[in-house]
Amino acid sequence: MDFSKQYDLVNNSVVRIISLISDGGKPKAVGSGSGILIGDGSYILTCSHCIIQGTQTVIYLEGDEHGHVPDVIFDDTDLDITLLKTRVIIGKGAKLKNLEDVKIGSECFVLGYPAYSNTITALGANIAGYEWKNKIFSLKIDASVNHGNSGGPLFDAAGNLIGIVNAKAGKIDTLLKQFQDSNTNNIVMQMNGMDHIKVLKTLVNQMYKNLNLGIGTAISIAQIAKLHMEVSVLMSQ
């Protein structure tokens, strides 16, 4: 699938989402994800798990040196969707499309910032199937979705926004994340001056950043609009 023309129309709507903490007075990135501008270009849709509590969320367009700190309009952890809003328009809002025209086997493409990248990565895909889980309707895509693509847009072949990619799903990365976040304060393994638990957690952290889930999922725009009037209104504009 050649989606180069569609990419040129929508790439300026894709944003990088960075979670920052203060480390000795200097900002330190502790999380990275993707998002998509909608509406007038000041609204951002992303995944809820891309927003880390206790950190400062900053939004960047590709090439921007200075980011934007958004306000949270809603944070639906069950749906894993968050709507943010910046105080200024930072780009062009993507066109939203109802799911009714999306068919299994139809071509699509994913844009995002995987693995802490500061440049957009584009992936061609097909709609591989549908999934109902906990009353949430998602699209399955046969794209190599990676950590950092979460919250990024899924477009149809015409460049219409049809879903928000959720790269969190998957038993392996969930297990790695649980191990990464585990408390090892009471576990001491010192051999030849090396903390082996710390070494393992560093390795897991790198594996988690670069984990390829094979089959990705995306939460449909129609599902989001059905549950949240704010997105439904933006969809009708």
Side-chain angles (χ1 to χ4, degrees), residues 154-217:
L154 173 67
F155 294 102
D156 66 9
N160 298 304
L161 180 64
I162 58 174
I164 300 298
V165 174
N166 180 345
K168 186 178 68 172
K171 295 181 180 179
I172 296 177
D173 77 310
T174 300
L175 178 62
L176 292 177
K177 181 63 175 174
Q178 289 175 346
F179 182 78
Q180 179 189 13
D181 293 341
S182 63
N183 185 353
T184 59
N185 292 334
N186 297 323
I187 303 176
V188 179
M189 293 180 64
Q190 296 285 347
M191 298 175 63
N192 298 324
M194 182 183 298
D195 186 338
H196 288 68
I197 292 294
K198 186 175 182 179
V199 171
L200 284 172
K201 294 187 75 170
T202 300
L203 290 173
V204 167
N205 185 49
Q206 294 302 314
M207 290 171 64
Y208 180 67
K209 286 180 181 180
N210 295 285
L211 186 66
N212 187 328
L213 299 181
I215 295 293
T217 60

Side-chain angles (χ1 to χ4, degrees), residues 14-15 17 32-37 44-50 80-82 111-113 145-146 148-154 161 163-168 217 219:
V14 185
V15 299
I17 298 176
S32 175
S34 303
I36 181 68
L37 297 173
I44 304 103
L45 272 177
T46 186
C47 283
S48 180
H49 74 265
C50 292
D80 195 21
I81 287 292
T82 294
L111 299 182
Y113 294 86
V145 176
N146 293 277
N149 278 116
S150 287
L154 173 67
L161 180 64
I164 300 298
V165 174
N166 180 345
K168 186 178 68 172
T217 60
I219 305 164

Side-chain angles (χ1 to χ4, degrees), residues 111-131:
L111 299 182
Y113 294 86
Y116 284 86
S117 172
N118 57 9
T119 57
I120 296 175
T121 295
L123 299 168
N126 291 87
I127 302 297
Y130 306 137
E131 180 179 58

Side-chain angles (χ1 to χ4, degrees), residues 96-104 106 127 130 137 139 156 160-163 220-223 226 235:
L96 287 72
K97 186 176 183 181
N98 196 298
L99 182 65
E100 293 178 357
D101 296 325
V102 179
K103 306 297 183 183
I104 293 178
S106 61
I127 302 297
Y130 306 137
F137 184 66
L139 301 170
D156 66 9
N160 298 304
L161 180 64
I162 58 174
S220 75
I221 289 297
Q223 173 81 6
K226 181 179 179 180
M235 194 173 184

